[in-house]
Amino acid sequence: QPQYYSTSLIVRKQDRKNEAAFPVTPYEYISNLPSLQNLNIQVDIPEHTRNGPDCKNCRIKKVASTMSLDNTSSLLNELKAKFEAGDVVGGKETLSKLKIAMLEFPSDSEPHMKVAAEALEIGILLTVEDGDLDAFARNVAQIKPLYAVLKTTPRKCHILGLNLMNLLVENRLSEFHAELELLTEEEAANTFVTFPINLERRLMVGIYDEVLTVTVPDPSFQFFVDNLLQTVRDSIADCVEVSYKNMKISDAMTMMKFDSQHELLEYIEECRDDWIVEADTLCFQPPPSGSKASDIPSMKLISQSLSYATEMERIV
């Protein structure tokens, strides 16, 4: 199948009741010629498909593709400039124009893929700066097929690290470990990728102190770390209010890694309105009483289990 045969054939199936048209490639037409003839199908072959490499229309398409790449490159430079200037709104508008232009990209052109990958990478960084996690997830899903073909780009490990941080913050640990299985040894050793890996290990072990004082490898990671810190502080607060009846505010600040008393009081007002502040002391409300061990009919459950085991043994 010559590479210039880019236009699909139009196949028309006629019968007594209706007429349907559907596109097929020349290769599909040749492969299914006997079956198409048996179905009384009329094939309209466009003129420039029959002309092959010398077709004028195909040459025009190649020139148009080159012009499209030039126009997209100018849009990409505009996107870079807005990203470096911190113009998030303008950058997102330019990215939308780029995505529309990408719809016309050929699927087998590496220069076009590189432009698309770089645009989406900048778009991902813009969504992080904007705090738009939905757009972040969409852009990551769009760039993954490009990474599968291009193998590597200057920002690939950075984007992979941000994606791992997003999965960690959302507690999607199964997807987190699935992404780790797809990494190469070189990617897994990159600083941007090892950061979320080490962070996940500390969380699993329960070393919250190191999680709260972590140093990010790039400012773009701070957005996810802030969200993760909130989750960690909530876990610490749950443990504190069960373990203590009261605690000094200074001790609570140290334990939960707040820089000032004002930050701690804001957290209490927003997330722990049942805590009582008395001078320099925090008083925790007693947790609601739930079921105790004595409330569980353990002997009855044991008897039932033994009875089931005996009946199963008889059946076998």
Side-chain angles (χ1 to χ4, degrees), residues 223-271:
F223 169 72
F224 296 104
V225 170
D226 291 341
N227 291 337
L228 190 61
L229 292 181
Q230 181 67 25
T231 303
V232 171
R233 281 174 175 151
D234 289 340
S235 299
I236 295 175
D238 291 337
C239 297
V240 165
E241 65 183 8
V242 174
S243 304
Y244 300 91
K245 292 183 179 180
N246 52 66
M247 176 182 289
K248 290 186 177 181
I249 291 180
S250 58
D251 294 337
M253 287 172 50
T254 303
M255 188 172 293
M256 302 179 69
K257 300 300 178 185
F258 283 109
D259 295 329
S260 65
Q261 181 176 337
H262 179 69
E263 292 181 359
L264 175 60
L265 294 178
E266 281 187 350
Y267 172 80
I268 294 173
E269 184 179 354
E270 294 176 2
C271 307

Side-chain angles (χ1 to χ4, degrees), residues 188-207:
N190 188 277
T191 305
F192 293 122
V193 178
T194 56
F195 177 76
I197 294 175
N198 293 332
L199 206 58
E200 189 266 345
R201 290 172 181 170
R202 293 169 185 171
L203 287 172
M204 293 300 102
V205 175
I207 311 177

